[in-house]
């Protein structure tokens, strides 16, 4: 049963005031980004590289999904087989990074391109050469590399051995990390072990929204997370012990989170919002960044009790040993944060103890206000910059003013170089970031826009565009053209300030009657309690 909330909608006229929440993060001030603030841009291997089986690359779980499991997975029937063909266009990609003037290019390395079967006995030299060439191009433009080791593309051969539910994968990932360190530590300053592990485990192992579509929620998602956190810690310690003394780089993890706004000011709704944050973000951050380590105490208590009620002999949430808690704790040199949008949270009307699932364990419902600006090609992406500011403050308060690098933030549309909505989105969210830094005193060190170019956007295929550069997917060379947002972002980076014409009360770029929901509508929720 899905818990649905009915609300009235109206055509958004550009006023930031909405029921219960003003989406604006605050008035424009004469705030500027510090000279040492890092600006960057991000991509992911599977979404841009193409060349899915070229030069010795092995099959990934996403290749297997779109070729074997479900060829109609993407809405437009497309696959990442070619995508933006960055495998053959990496020099142009590096030029685009240079044109933006960013400090950092965050890109991911494809595990099966380096180790086709995922194991160290078979290393693909052509794959190693590709990333070495890309790093050399970035070095030519004085761009610092931030490398993501794992952005969802597990070698299919490892998935057939259980993937992230097989505890041996901790050692397999450590071997992979060592290969990357051995080959690229001299050229990479920032390492990210995993990007958005919640999407990997909750959406891929617990549900069917991501590969490998295991659909074993309440079990596989917890096992996946348990092994993934241990793999992260092992990769961190390997670098810390062997490579940091020579190269002095940093290692962390990138975690995604929406902001959770209580539906009302009631104690129950405030508890629902906090529980959402702990069961989604805290699930991964608490073991690494908290003073005590381990999973959030309330998460442990609830899942242990529900497992008991469901007649399991032990909790469905695996337990770390005291030694593992200490081993994982502190394994983040910065806090990588991906953020896009905001949800309202309230407690579920009823909780069914007999049906194990992460959603049931959490016991909450999330939804969005249709009055929040949208006009995005991704129906979940509503524009609520104040949520970004509040999330940054929550992370800072929860984890002792940790050093934060925003590793993804961006807006999706359907196409075109004149992308007023994306320009507006970046203005509002960068304004929120400045308010967070100056008024809330958060320790934000950098910001990476998502994404450098249009890409293969998972189940949206090629229909949803996040890029600062337009990609002509029909052209032989996948021609890249800067959008208005690329020019705006470059000006922000150069001036270290928001555009002169930015108005924090103006959301008119998102005003369009044909993109809002009908007059009576269902508010988005992804948490089913059945």
């Amino acid at each position: 049963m899905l818990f649905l909330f009915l609300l009235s909608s109206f055509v958004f006229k550009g006023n930031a005031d909405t029921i219960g929440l003003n989406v604006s993060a605050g008035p424009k001030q004469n705030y500027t980004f510090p000279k040492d603030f890092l600006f960057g841009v991000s991509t992911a291997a599977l979404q841009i590289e193409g060349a899915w089986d070229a030069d010795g690359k092995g099959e990934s779980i996403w290749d297997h999904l779109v070729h074997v499991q479900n060829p109609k997975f993407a809405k437009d029937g497309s696959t990442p087989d070619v995508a933006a063909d960055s495998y053959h266009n990496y020099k142009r990609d590096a030029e685009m990074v240079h044109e933006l003037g960013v400090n950092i290019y965050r890109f991911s390395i494809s595990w099966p391109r380096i180790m086709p079967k995922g194991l160290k006995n078979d290393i693909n030299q052509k794959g190693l050469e590709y990333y070495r060439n890309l790093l050399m191009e970035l070095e030519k433009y004085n761009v610092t590399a931030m490398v993501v080791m794992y952005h969802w593309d597990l070698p299919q051969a490892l998935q057939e051995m259980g993937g992230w539910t097989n505890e041996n994968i901790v050692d397999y990932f450590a071997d992979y990390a060592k290969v990357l360190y051995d080959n690229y530590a001299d050229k990479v300053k920032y390492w990210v072990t995993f990007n958005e592990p919640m999407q990997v485990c909750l959406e891929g192992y617990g549900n069917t929204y991501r590969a490998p579509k295991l659909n074993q929620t309440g079990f596989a998602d917890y096992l996946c997370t348990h092994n993934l956190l241990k793999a992260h810690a092992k990769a961190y310690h390997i670098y810390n012990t062997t490579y940091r003394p020579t190269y002095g780089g940093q290692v962390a993890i990138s975690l995604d989170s929406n902001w959770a706004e209580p539906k009302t000011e009631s104690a129950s709704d405030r508890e629902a919002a906090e529980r959402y944050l702990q069961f989604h973000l805290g699930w991964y951050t608490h073991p690494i960044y908290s003073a005590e380590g381990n999973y959030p105490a309330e998460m442990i208590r609830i899942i242990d009790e529900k497992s008991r009620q469901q007649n399991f002999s032990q909790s469905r949430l695996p337990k770390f040993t005291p030694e593992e808690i200490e081993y994982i704790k502190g394994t983040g040199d910065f806090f990588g944060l991906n953020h896009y949008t905001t949800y309202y949270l309230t407690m579920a009307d009823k909780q069914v103890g007999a049906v194990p699932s992460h959603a049931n364990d959490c016991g909450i419902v999330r939804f969005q206000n249709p009055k929040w600006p949208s006009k995005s090609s991704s129906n979940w992406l509503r524009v609520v910059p104040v949520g970004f500011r509040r999330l940054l403050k929550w992370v800072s308060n929860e984890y002792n003013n940790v050093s934060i690098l925003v590793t993804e933030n961006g807006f999706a549309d359907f196409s075109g170089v004149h992308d007023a909505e994306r320009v507006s989105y970046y203005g509002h969210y960068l304004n929120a970031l400045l308010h967070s830094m100056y008024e809330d005193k958060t320790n934000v060190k950098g910001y990476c826009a998502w994404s450098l170019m249009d890409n293969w956007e998972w189940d949206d295929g090629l229909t949803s565009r996040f890029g600062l550069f337009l990609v002509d997917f029909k052209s032989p060379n996948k021609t890249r053209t800067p959008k208005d947002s690329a020019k705006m972002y470059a000006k922000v980076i150069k001036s270290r300030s928001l555009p002169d014409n930015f108005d924090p009360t103006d959301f008119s770029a998102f005003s369009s009657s044909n993109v809002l929901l009908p007059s009576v509508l269902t508010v988005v929720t992804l948490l089913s309690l059945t």
Side-chain angles (χ1 to χ4, degrees), residues 275-276 279-280 306 347 357-364 527:
R275 187 180 294 183
Y276 175 90
F279 265 73
H280 292 79
K306 289 204 172 186
M347 286 294 185
S357 71
H358 178 271
N360 177 263
D361 291 337
C362 200
I364 56 175
L527 298 182

Side-chain angles (χ1 to χ4, degrees), residues 128-136 183-184 186-187:
L128 290 174
E129 180 182 330
Y130 167 68
Y131 295 109
R132 170 63 65 166
N133 289 340
L134 173 57
L135 287 164
M136 290 173 66
N183 283 275
Y184 308 128
D186 62 324
K187 294 190 178 300

Side-chain angles (χ1 to χ4, degrees), residues 447-520:
Y447 173 93
C448 292
W450 180 272
S451 175
L452 174 61
M453 73 195 88
D454 295 335
N455 55 39
W456 188 78
E457 188 56 34
W458 315 110
D459 54 331
D460 280 337
L462 302 177
T463 64
S464 193
R465 308 291 191 102
F466 275 92
L468 291 163
F469 283 76
L470 179 75
V471 176
D472 181 356
F473 291 109
K474 295 181 180 178
S475 67
N477 295 322
K478 305 297 180 282
T479 304
R480 287 104 154 99
T481 306
K483 302 178 185 179
D484 291 346
S485 57
K487 299 170 186 177
M488 173 265 195
Y489 191 43
K491 288 179 181 178
V492 169
I493 294 168
K494 186 175 182 179
S495 68
R496 318 301 285 182
S497 62
L498 296 175
D500 292 337
N501 63 350
F502 170 70
D503 180 353
T505 67
D506 182 12
F507 289 78
S508 59
F510 308 102
S511 179
S512 177
S513 60
N514 64 357
V515 297
L516 289 175
L517 300 172
S519 58
V520 178

Side-chain angles (χ1 to χ4, degrees), residues 288-309:
I288 297 171
Y289 296 101
S290 71
E292 61 272 23
N294 208 348
Y295 297 121
E298 184 70 354
M299 186 177 186
I300 295 171
R301 183 192 67 78
I302 289 173
I303 299 174
D304 286 358
E305 175 59 22
K306 289 204 172 186
S307 298
R308 185 193 64 79
Q309 293 174 358

Side-chain angles (χ1 to χ4, degrees), residues 18 53 58 69 126-127 131 158 175 197 209 224 277 285 297 467 475 512:
T18 64
D53 63 349
Q69 283 180 273
K126 286 285 189 180
Y131 295 109
L158 293 186
D175 288 340
Y209 308 116
C224 170
L277 290 168
T285 56
S475 67
S512 177

Side-chain angles (χ1 to χ4, degrees), residues 14 61 182 184 370:
I61 55 176
D182 285 341
Y184 308 128

Side-chain angles (χ1 to χ4, degrees), residues 296-356:
E298 184 70 354
M299 186 177 186
I300 295 171
R301 183 192 67 78
I302 289 173
I303 299 174
D304 286 358
E305 175 59 22
K306 289 204 172 186
S307 298
R308 185 193 64 79
Q309 293 174 358
Q310 294 157 352
N311 295 318
F312 290 103
S313 59
Q314 59 187 17
S315 177
R316 289 178 285 103
L317 183 68
K319 304 300 181 188
F320 291 120
T321 65
E323 294 77 17
E324 288 171 337
I325 291 172
E326 291 302 313
Y327 188 72
I328 296 169
K329 190 170 64 174
T331 56
D333 297 323
F334 58 90
F335 190 113
L337 179 65
N338 297 352
H339 172 78
Y340 291 89
T341 194
T342 288
Y343 285 83
Y344 273 137
L345 270 297
T346 191
M347 286 294 185
D349 290 340
K350 80 174 184 178
Q351 300 177 31
V352 184
V355 183

Side-chain angles (χ1 to χ4, degrees), residues 230-290:
K230 289 191 284 188
H232 158 80
K234 191 161 188 176
Y236 179 93
H237 285 293
I238 290 169
Y239 187 87
N240 195 48
T241 301
T242 306
Y243 301 88
R244 195 193 303 271
T246 301
Y247 302 107
Q250 297 186 41
V251 182
I253 189 169
S254 285
L255 303 141
D256 64 301
S257 184
N258 307 301
W259 171 242
E261 183 73 15
K263 178 190 173 189
T264 69
E265 288 302 310
S266 70
S268 176
D269 285 351
R270 289 198 301 271
E271 180 186 353
E274 180 65 19
R275 187 180 294 183
Y276 175 90
L277 290 168
Q278 295 294 350
F279 265 73
H280 292 79
L281 183 57
W283 187 11
Y284 297 91
T285 56
H286 207 270
I288 297 171
Y289 296 101
S290 71

